[in-house]
């Protein structure tokens, strides 16, 4: 009798257990740095805003990790701090007063990887991501490209999804630090 | 059963007690730069909570708020590891002013982790028409090793270090029903460190 009552719940739990969906929460603040004296247009396109990573791991689950909104938020906050004046556009085709800007920057989330071990001595969930940041002059010529990575990890306690979320948040923060540290040199600003 | 419990070693080294004047607070931060471990946020939260509670509570500035207010200077890859490095960081006016705004007088750096050092035993469970049950014994040992180093922002000096090492053995004996006898080793380390730190700070507020 008890089994009959519990069976639908157990089946539902089993099915739900096969899918792990995460929407990464943004937590990268505007950096405490002196802005560089540039007027910059930053492209945040739909690919970045809607970036979602899907992976089916054998013996684990179908993971679906929505990173886009948090990554777009990171880009907004970091570039607001990095440059004196920043406007955000959706694509290179958006109308921009070219007399008002020195540079167009196009960041893309080009790679994302994660690991959430379920056995063994490894107790950390880890995330790794890479931004490809391209700069254009006001004539549309490519003036430089930078690859910036971020890595984060979080201890797995009870909630593996929560740990992957935290690891990815840390990876985004780390990418923010690396953008600040390396972008001016990489783009020869 | 007698083997279940905690053994502790605490080594405090503090030059003197430290006074917190009106408007001053301390912030507790975890070290996360090591490759093989990182200090757990749960320990930072536990110690912050214990120090700030009670009638003689010490004013604590929330660690995440501090890290956000000073981003990117207190991230795992950028945080100063020594007081001379910290002094160099404070030459940045933006950082100096922001720390002054927070009112933080002391930074307590927690470094260490709680690790599973040993485990063993087995529990077998079976179920049949007559009922279900388990037989056996499983055990594990956790080691919580931490040091807490206090930096005085006014004097740009290390005011002292506390070292704690707690080892806890937990077990689950099972005779039909498994009975978990879990020792919370990290919690014990939290209590030990909090107690030592609370004797170090004197709030004049």
């Amino acid at each position: 009798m008890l089994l009959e009552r519990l069976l639908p719940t157990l089946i539902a739990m089993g099915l739900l257990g096969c899918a792990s969906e995460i929407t990464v929460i943004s937590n990268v603040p505007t950096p405490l740095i002196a802005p560089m004296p540039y007027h910059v247009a930053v492209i945040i396109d739909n690919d970045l805003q809607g970036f979602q990573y899907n992976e089916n791991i054998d013996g684990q689950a179908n993971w679906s990790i929505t990173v886009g909104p948090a990554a777009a938020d990171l880009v907004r906050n970091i570039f607001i701090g990095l440059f004196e004046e920043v406007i955000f556009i959706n694509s290179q085709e958006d109308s921009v007063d070219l007399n008002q800007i020195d540079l167009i920057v196009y960041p893309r989330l080009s790679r994302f990887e994660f690991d959430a071990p379920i056995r063994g001595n490894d107790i950390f969930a880890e995330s790794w991501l890479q931004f490809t940041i391209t700069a254009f002059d006001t004539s549309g010529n490519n003036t430089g490209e930078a690859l910036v990575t971020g890595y984060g990890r979080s201890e797995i306690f009870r909630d593996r999804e929560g740990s992957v979320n935290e690891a990815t948040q840390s990876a985004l923060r780390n990418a923010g630090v690396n953008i600040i540290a390396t972008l001016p040199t990489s783009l020869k600003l | 059963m007698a083997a279940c419990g905690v053994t502790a070693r605490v080594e405090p080294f503090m030059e003197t007690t430290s006074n917190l004047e009106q408007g001053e607070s301390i912030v507790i931060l975890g070290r996360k730069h090591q490759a093989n471990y990182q200090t757990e946020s749960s320990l930072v939260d536990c110690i912050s909570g214990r120090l700030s509670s009670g009638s003689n509570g010490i004013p604590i500035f929330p660690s995440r708020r501090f890290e956000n207010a000073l981003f990117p200077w207190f991230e795992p890859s950028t945080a100063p590891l020594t007081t001379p490095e910290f002094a160099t960081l404070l030459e940045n006016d933006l950082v100096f002013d922001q720390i002054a705004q927070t009112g933080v007088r002391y930074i307590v750096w927690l470094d260490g982790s709680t690790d599973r050092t040993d485990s063993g035993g087995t529990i077998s469970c079976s179920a049949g028409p007559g009922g279900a049950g388990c037989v056996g014994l499983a055990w594990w040992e956790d080691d919580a090793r931490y040091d807490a180093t206090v930096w005085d922002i006014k004097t740009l000096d290390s005011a002292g270090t506390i070292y704690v090492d707690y080892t806890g053995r937990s077990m689950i004996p099972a005779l039909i029903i498994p009975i978990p006898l879990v020792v919370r080793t990290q919690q014990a380390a939290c209590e030990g460190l909090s107690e030592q730190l609370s004797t170090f700070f004197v709030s004049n507020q």
Side-chain angles (χ1 to χ4, degrees):
Chain A
M1 187 68 178
L2 182 65
L3 190 64
E4 277 175 26
R5 280 188 192 168
L6 286 175
L7 201 58
T9 314
L10 291 171
I11 291 169
M13 284 172 71
L15 290 173
L16 285 174
C18 295
S20 291
E21 288 185 19
I22 299 168
T23 299
V24 178
I25 298 158
S26 164
N27 76 348
V28 182
T30 305
L32 184 68
I33 53 174
M36 299 178 75
Y38 290 96
H39 293 196
V40 177
V42 178
I43 300 169
I44 297 181
D45 63 8
N46 292 338
D47 285 349
L48 177 64
Q49 186 74 42
F51 186 96
Q52 191 180 53
Y53 181 82
N54 296 298
E55 186 176 349
N56 184 15
I57 301 176
D58 286 344
Q60 280 202 31
N62 287 318
W63 287 83
S64 174
I65 306 172
T66 303
V67 188
D73 215 44
L74 155 86
V75 167
R76 277 186 213 101
N77 286 345
I78 293 296
F79 281 91
I80 283 172
L82 199 53
F83 296 110
E84 208 168 73
E85 200 164 310
V86 182
I87 57 165
F88 295 100
I89 55 178
N90 292 322
S91 74
Q92 247 177 310
E93 284 72 47
D94 273 16
S95 59
V96 181
D97 184 354
L98 295 176
N99 294 321
Q100 297 293 315
I101 59 168
D102 306 308
L103 191 70
I104 299 165
V105 178
Y106 181 27
R108 283 162 293 149
L109 189 49
S110 44
R111 287 180 71 183
F112 179 83
E113 291 172 16
F114 85 103
D115 184 31
I118 52 172
R119 57 180 76 87
N121 292 327
D122 193 353
I123 53 161
F124 289 107
E126 296 174 289
S127 288
W128 180 88
L129 48 85
Q130 183 185 68
F131 282 96
T132 302
I133 302 174
T134 313
F136 302 94
D137 62 20
T138 49
S139 306
N141 301 314
N142 182 327
T143 58
E145 190 165 271
L147 297 178
V148 184
T149 60
Y151 168 79
R153 63 183 169 171
S154 174
E155 252 184 293
I156 299 172
F157 289 108
R158 295 173 194 85
D159 171 17
R160 281 151 47 76
E161 284 81 6
S163 298
V164 171
N165 195 348
E166 274 182 28
T168 310
Q169 286 179 352
S170 299
L172 286 166
R173 278 180 90 100
N174 183 236
V177 171
N178 292 338
I179 289 172
I180 294 163
T182 64
L183 198 70
T185 316
S186 302
L187 299 185
K188 300 181 182 74
L189 298 175
Chain B
M1 298 281 181
C4 199
V6 178
T7 54
R9 190 158 65 96
V10 180
E11 291 176 15
F13 168 70
M14 293 294 179
E15 297 285 354
T16 171
T17 54
S18 295
N19 290 307
L20 284 164
E21 302 301 335
Q22 186 69 37
E24 290 182 342
S25 61
I26 69 171
V27 65
I28 296 166
L29 302 174
R31 289 285 187 198
K32 293 179 180 172
H33 66 285
Q34 304 281 1
N36 55 341
Y37 70 86
Q38 63 180 21
T39 307
E40 302 90 348
S41 310
S42 52
L43 184 80
V44 173
D45 294 342
C46 177
I47 294 176
S48 299
R50 289 186 78 89
L51 286 180
S52 61
S53 64
S55 55
N56 295 322
I58 299 163
I60 302 286
F61 196 89
S63 55
R64 179 52 92 184
R65 223 173 103 197
F66 184 83
E67 287 164 348
N68 281 345
L70 286 142
F71 181 79
W73 304 108
F74 281 82
E75 296 300 297
S77 60
T78 56
L81 297 175
T82 61
T83 45
E85 278 182 32
F86 183 47
T88 306
L89 176 61
L90 287 182
E91 287 170 11
N92 180 331
D93 290 342
L94 289 170
V95 175
F96 184 88
D97 293 345
Q98 188 75 321
I99 290 182
Q101 261 185 35
T102 63
V104 168
R105 167 72 192 274
Y106 295 97
I107 298 176
V108 178
W109 284 108
L110 298 177
D111 193 1
S113 63
T114 300
D115 300 306
R116 177 81 25 100
T117 50
D118 207 357
S119 62
T122 52
I123 295 177
S124 304
C125 297
S126 60
C134 300
V135 177
L137 174 76
W139 61 271
W140 64 94
E141 198 169 272
D142 288 338
D143 191 13
R145 285 185 194 190
Y146 297 96
D147 55 57
T149 303
V150 180
W151 288 358
D152 186 338
I153 291 176
K154 260 189 188 165
T155 62
L156 293 177
D157 218 348
S158 174
T161 300
I162 300 162
Y163 173 80
V164 298
D165 185 354
Y166 285 76
T167 306
R169 180 173 280 201
S170 305
M171 59 174 64
I172 306 178
L175 190 63
I176 301 175
I177 299 167
I179 302 165
L181 302 169
V182 179
V183 171
R184 297 166 72 196
T185 315
Q186 193 194 73
Q187 180 68 20
C190 165
E191 287 166 15
L193 276 169
S194 301
E195 196 179 319
Q196 290 295 320
L197 285 168
S198 64
T199 60
F200 175 68
F201 294 108
V202 177
S203 177
N204 296 330
Q205 301 183 30

